[in-house]
Amino acid sequence: MSEHLLEIRDLQARVADGGIEILRGVDLVIEPGEMHALMGPNGSGKSTLAKVIAGHPGYEVTGGDVLLDGKSVLDLEPDERSRSGLFLAFQYPAEIPGVSIANFLRTSLNARRSEEEGDLDVFAFQKLLNDKLGLLQVQPSFAARYVNDGFSGGEKKRNEILQMAMLEPSMAVMDETDSGLDIDALRIVSEGVSTLRGQDDRMGVLLITHYKRILGYLQPDQVHVMLNGRIAHSGGPELADQLEEMGYDWLHEPEPEPVG
Amino acid sequence: MPDNETVTDLGLDEYKYDFVTDEKPLFKAEKGLSEELVRQISAHKDEPEWMLEFRLKALETFYSKPMPNWGGDLSTLNLDEIYFYLKPQDHMERSWDDVPENIKQTFERLGIPEAERKILAGVGAQFESEMVYHSLKKEWEEQGIIFESIEDGLRKYPELFREHFATIVPPQDNKYAALNSAVWSGGSFVCIPAGVKVEIPLQAYFRVNAEQMGQFERTLIICEEGSQAHYIEGCTAPVYTTESFHSGVIEIVVKKNARFRYTTIQNWSNNMYNLVTQRAMVHENANMEWVDGNLGSKLTMKYPSCYLVGERAHGEILSIAYAGDGQHQDTGGKVVHAAPNTTSQIVSKSISKGTGRSTYRGLCKVYDGAINSKSNVECDALLLNDTSRTDTYPYIEIDENQSSIGHEASVSKVGEEQLFYLMSRGLSEEQAMTMVVRGFIEPIAKELPLEYAIELNRLIELEMEGSVG
Ligand SMILES: Nc1ncnc2c1ncn2[C@@H]1O[C@H](COP(=O)(O)OP(=O)(O)OP(=O)(O)O)[C@@H](O)[C@H]1O
Ligand SMILES: [Mg+2]
């Protein structure tokens, strides 16, 4: 049996220190090279799922498992998960004043190199950075800015994608990266993601979105709908069109399994 | 962009402030303070009568003043256990070749030869209370710039020296200024002639290197009309188990249309009491900037000040304080607006880790008649742990209605979201924490010359080691 790239099994999670339960049994499997879209109304738990996958300390897993390449990641720190190939493009990225994007990226890249490899050569880094800036059609001066400090909504999203392009993850979770991007930026970012997937045909993507526009560019293999902490419905790309037309009301939560 | 990191390592790695060279002081005074000692110091330096009298009078002032009852805890400071005067060598050295080998080793570990190679030049280094090495770039001499040890300044330029000495920080100013005035030894004497612009910063390195030694350096800098210069001083001290004491006085006159910047990074060992008085008198249309970094020490009390005495004078104080476990950084700044249209700015950033405590203490005073004066104060504190502490004491005294004073203070903790964000890109928690701290001080670090910015970042990294459990 070949391993799934990402497997989420009956995942349950609540806000840490006994807070409210948010994820109530999520099941999801992504195979290498696949792109899945995750949709669902506000507050249904999409971002929570993304953050739990990445290991956010603010949530506590109360049941189920998350496996990357067949191995559970739940005991790994966020940095270890990142170094195992996981990437999360945040819906609301944090601001780190005083730290340039270039510096941050270089530190991140070096953090995933072994001791024998040593730090990335300055020129090699600069070349890589220039390539990725070019791919995403971002001005070189952008990398000199402080991470998300005073960024517009769209600039923050571009910064997330720049980081994704630099770190070349095997499994990327993109949380509403399309929200806030202008029409041109959406196209450029979508093309950038396609290019990355072209370079690594095993790369998996979980794309959280409210809009079908980005799905027009990226063509997901599957579309899932999250309702109240569970995946309530899954289907092909046509599901996104249905949702756009009819909203979420026609979908109802799966009944809890009968207790007997 | 802050790409300091791309410059090759200055070899500060192995320097975790824990090394001692075995140089033998040629003169070692008794511990403790006395009139006899003050006479000895003065005789030893072959000083004119007026200086001896000045010292003796200052000693009286010191005895008569009570210990300050504000600021940090000085109760464990025992002045009877301190050497007030040490002298490693009798002669001043002019060239690098003449510097004794063991002292060179110490300098090497501090990275000074690199600084030489990079023609940062003009190094005056203070070693055990006295200048032992002093080299001046030729072009500076040609420009008429004076950069001497304070002793040589007094000897060679008696009139200029006497005209300014102790006029900016008189002994009566505070108890520790009085103490310094009585026992001062070492420091620099600098004069930038009118209209002269010095491109390369003047640098003084010094290093305390004897147990229980008090260091009382005294620096006097005169910037004549229209001159421009930057003076840099940095130091580190080895770790010792018993208390150490450093109490310097820095006096600066910035005359009409002159511009001057004084940069310090101090990283004292954790047993050091560091009480320094730094003051600049800023005249008409002149500009003074203090850039001040304080790390280490047990207690630092230091408030660089600008007295804006001429119309349109401008003063700026940028400071960073890092209080590690058990340390107290009581720092800030003082601006006095005593003339119309004067402007000032204080930016203070502090970081407290573990049981460290940082205090911002600032005074902004606007005298009656100093119309259209503007002052802006910004102090930001970053707390790394729940046990860390910070306080802010901004004193504002305004006697002139036509003036504007702004004050902003913020206290922040390294946020969970920030750490998670950085860690989700592969940084360890410690790396993430260090990155947030470096970002926090970046607005000041970028004002430093490259080598110092690297050194500061390196020191912060060392300090952050083991900061997360
Ligand atoms: N740390 C927290 N403390 C309390 N409630 C939380 C916390 N995190 C999430 N929640 C709640 O859990 C629910 C799910 O939030 P989540 O951010 O996952 O929704 P979402 O599906 O991403 O919504 P949106 O489409 O608006 O981004 C919301 O009701 C939210 O208020
Ligand atoms: Mg969300």
Side-chain angles (χ1 to χ4, degrees):
Chain A
M1 183 196 98
S2 80
E3 277 153 6
H4 305 301
L5 175 59
L6 180 74
E7 182 180 3
I8 299 169
R9 271 192 217 144
D10 191 26
L11 185 66
Q12 295 154 48
R14 63 180 179 195
V15 174
D17 301 318
I20 55 160
E21 186 175 35
I22 302 172
L23 301 183
R24 305 191 304 136
V26 177
D27 288 289
L28 185 67
V29 173
I30 297 180
E31 303 297 345
E34 284 185 351
M35 165 170 293
H36 290 212
L38 179 62
M39 303 181 82
N42 294 134
S44 55
K46 303 179 298 298
S47 293
T48 303
L49 175 65
K51 286 189 272 187
V52 168
I53 293 171
H56 195 291
Y59 302 95
E60 205 177 315
V61 173
T62 51
D65 208 349
V66 177
L67 302 103
L68 186 68
D69 296 317
K71 287 190 265 319
S72 174
V73 297
L74 292 184
D75 287 335
L76 301 181
E77 292 294 321
D79 53 321
E80 295 169 315
R81 297 186 197 196
S82 164
R83 295 197 294 267
S84 309
L86 201 61
F87 181 88
L88 169 60
F90 286 70
Q91 183 178 4
Y92 303 111
E95 300 183 4
I96 318 287
V99 176
S100 71
I101 291 175
N103 180 4
F104 175 36
L105 285 172
R106 203 150 49 81
T107 312
S108 304
L109 282 170
N110 285 334
R112 57 194 69 226
R113 290 166 69 90
S114 69
E115 209 144 294
E116 301 86 72
E117 286 176 315
D119 280 0
L120 190 62
D121 166 278
V122 179
F123 298 103
F125 169 75
Q126 201 57 49
K127 188 182 176 307
L128 183 66
L129 179 60
N130 287 340
D131 288 352
K132 303 298 183 180
L133 288 166
L135 171 70
L136 298 168
Q137 302 185 27
V138 177
Q139 291 298 313
S141 60
F142 186 70
R145 291 183 65 180
Y146 295 150
V147 179
N148 298 324
D149 189 22
F151 280 22
S152 73
E155 286 170 337
K156 284 186 181 172
K157 297 302 168 72
R158 282 188 174 224
N159 187 19
E160 293 299 286
I161 294 306
L162 174 62
Q163 292 173 44
M164 178 170 146
M166 288 293 282
L167 299 180
E168 299 180 342
S170 57
M171 176 67 221
V173 179
M174 298 168 62
D175 192 356
E176 295 198 28
T177 306
D178 54 339
S179 303
L181 289 179
D182 66 47
I183 297 162
D184 291 331
L186 183 67
R187 181 179 45 80
I188 293 162
V189 163
S190 302
E191 285 168 3
V193 173
S194 297
T195 306
L196 291 177
R197 293 181 70 209
Q199 285 165 358
D200 172 9
D201 60 10
R202 290 182 55 85
M203 179 180 167
V205 177
L206 178 62
L207 185 80
I208 299 173
T209 182
H210 287 295
Y211 309 105
K212 70 168 204 182
R213 184 186 280 269
I214 191 167
L215 302 179
Y217 289 112
L218 288 176
Q219 266 108 39
D221 298 289
Q222 287 187 45
V223 176
H224 308 278
V225 181
M226 183 170 251
L227 287 182
N228 199 10
R230 285 201 183 102
I231 306 280
H233 202 83
S234 299
E238 73 289 346
L239 181 54
D241 299 314
Q242 275 172 283
L243 293 171
E244 185 106 334
E245 243 170 71
M246 314 202 287
Y248 293 109
D249 277 351
W250 60 282
L251 295 164
H252 47 82
E253 262 189 85
E255 293 303 318
E257 277 166 36
V259 192
Chain B
M1 105 176 217
D3 54 356
N4 308 339
E5 300 82 8
T6 62
V7 170
T8 41
D9 196 66
L10 285 181
L12 293 160
D13 252 344
E14 63 304 23
Y15 125 77
K16 229 191 153 176
Y17 18 91
D18 236 330
F19 53 93
V20 182
T21 52
D22 61 351
E23 97 293 344
K24 293 178 185 57
L26 303 178
F27 174 104
K28 199 150 189 164
E30 299 284 298
K31 284 178 181 175
L33 188 61
S34 65
E35 188 187 315
E36 182 50 32
L37 174 81
V38 171
R39 286 182 185 280
Q40 261 185 41
I41 295 172
S42 190
H44 200 253
K45 291 182 185 292
D46 220 355
E47 287 175 349
E49 191 60 25
W50 74 266
M51 186 53 82
L52 174 63
E53 275 160 29
F54 171 85
R55 286 179 182 272
L56 290 171
K57 202 153 170 279
L59 184 66
E60 269 173 45
T61 309
F62 171 73
Y63 285 134
S64 70
K65 276 190 181 292
M67 283 281 218
N69 57 1
W70 49 273
D73 177 14
L74 292 165
S75 61
T76 49
L77 173 62
N78 183 355
L79 296 182
D80 297 334
E81 285 299 314
I82 284 170
Y83 290 102
F84 282 82
Y85 184 60
L86 291 157
K87 189 172 166 40
Q89 269 180 301
D90 281 317
H91 301 292
M92 297 292 294
E93 303 291 347
R94 251 198 122 69
S95 94
W96 181 247
D97 287 344
D98 298 331
V99 177
E101 206 48 45
N102 59 342
I103 290 176
K104 272 186 186 169
Q105 278 169 19
T106 302
F107 283 145
E108 199 161 335
R109 301 199 68 169
L110 289 170
I112 291 180
E114 267 82 359
E116 273 286 291
R117 275 203 291 277
K118 292 185 171 165
I119 338 169
L120 286 165
V123 176
Q126 184 175 1
F127 194 76
E128 291 219 355
S129 309
E130 199 97 6
M131 295 294 210
V132 290
Y133 169 51
H134 199 106
S135 80
L136 234 135
K137 281 203 80 184
K138 271 214 180 67
E139 50 196 279
W140 289 354
E141 281 174 345
E142 282 160 15
Q143 283 180 296
I145 293 157
I146 302 169
F147 182 15
E148 300 278 0
S149 71
I150 188 88
E151 285 82 3
D152 279 351
L154 173 57
R155 206 159 25 242
K156 295 187 186 167
Y157 309 94
E159 273 119 66
L160 184 65
F161 188 103
R162 198 171 176 177
E163 184 190 338
H164 295 94
F165 183 79
T167 57
I168 301 142
V169 181
Q172 308 84 301
D173 190 82
N174 67 72
K175 189 168 175 80
Y176 293 98
L179 177 61
N180 175 285
S181 299
V183 300
W184 66 263
S185 185
S188 300
F189 179 73
V190 177
C191 179
I192 317 292
V196 169
K197 294 189 171 69
V198 191
E199 304 293 341
I200 303 163
L202 300 137
Q203 299 206 52
Y205 281 85
F206 65 94
R207 176 177 161 78
V208 182
N209 194 15
E211 191 166 7
Q212 294 169 314
M213 191 203 66
Q215 181 149 354
F216 301 91
E217 106 266 19
R218 180 109 196 175
T219 287
L220 175 59
I221 298 174
I222 303 151
C223 308
E224 298 289 0
E225 288 189 7
S227 65
Q228 285 185 24
H230 181 185
Y231 182 89
I232 304 178
E233 171 226 66
C235 64
T236 58
V239 173
Y240 283 108
T241 50
T242 46
E243 320 293 2
S244 283
F245 184 38
H246 172 253
S247 183
V249 169
I250 317 292
E251 299 182 278
I252 302 178
V253 195
V254 192
K255 296 190 183 170
K256 189 174 167 182
N257 296 329
R259 300 177 68 90
F260 191 70
R261 173 180 275 204
Y262 188 100
T263 297
T264 327
I265 291 190
Q266 294 192 320
N267 176 29
W268 298 107
S269 57
N270 297 347
N271 53 349
M272 179 66 85
Y273 287 89
N274 182 33
L275 313 176
V276 182
T277 308
Q278 304 188 158
R279 189 173 304 160
M281 202 61 79
V282 193
H283 293 271
E284 189 183 328
N285 202 36
N287 198 315
M288 172 69 205
E289 295 165 348
W290 296 102
V291 181
D292 205 42
N294 297 297
L295 292 97
S297 85
K298 179 179 186 125
L299 169 66
T300 289
M301 289 171 66
K302 191 177 184 193
Y303 323 96
S305 61
C306 294
Y307 282 59
L308 308 171
V309 296
E311 214 171 318
R312 293 186 312 282
H314 177 75
E316 224 165 287
I317 301 157
L318 308 177
S319 72
I320 303 173
Y322 182 97
D325 255 329
Q327 300 176 351
H328 185 184
Q329 301 285 359
D330 197 299
T331 60
K334 187 168 153 184
V335 285
V336 176
H337 292 256
N341 301 305
T342 48
T343 50
S344 67
Q345 167 141 1
I346 299 178
V347 180
S348 160
K349 288 186 173 268
S350 71
I351 299 149
S352 312
K353 177 192 142 193
T355 58
R357 175 180 173 196
S358 61
T359 303
Y360 169 78
R361 197 180 295 280
L363 172 70
C364 175
K365 164 109 192 150
V366 181
Y367 278 98
D368 185 20
I371 53 163
N372 297 326
S373 292
K374 283 197 188 74
S375 177
N376 194 48
V377 178
E378 190 190 315
C379 52
D380 302 316
L382 185 66
L383 299 176
L384 300 189
N385 307 89
D386 293 338
T387 47
S388 332
R389 177 176 164 190
T390 182
D391 332 85
T392 308
Y393 301 101
Y395 300 99
I396 297 174
E397 296 170 16
I398 303 170
D399 302 332
E400 171 58 58
N401 288 333
Q402 280 187 63
S403 61
S404 89
I405 308 297
H407 178 91
E408 276 177 60
S410 78
V411 177
S412 49
K413 291 191 172 186
V414 178
E416 184 178 71
E417 293 305 323
Q418 285 180 316
L419 288 182
F420 177 62
Y421 187 68
L422 296 174
M423 288 177 75
S424 77
R425 303 312 187 227
L427 274 63
S428 69
E429 190 174 355
E430 187 170 298
Q431 279 181 310
M433 192 85 113
T434 304
M435 187 158 263
V436 173
V437 171
R438 282 173 58 163
F440 177 75
I441 62 168
E442 172 64 18
I444 294 176
K446 72 169 192 242
E447 294 296 322
L448 296 171
L450 192 58
E451 285 75 9
Y452 279 76
I454 291 168
E455 185 172 350
L456 180 67
N457 277 330
R458 200 51 78 93
L459 290 173
I460 294 281
E461 263 166 43
L462 287 172
E463 290 290 339
M464 295 298 291
E465 270 174 24
S467 62
V468 289

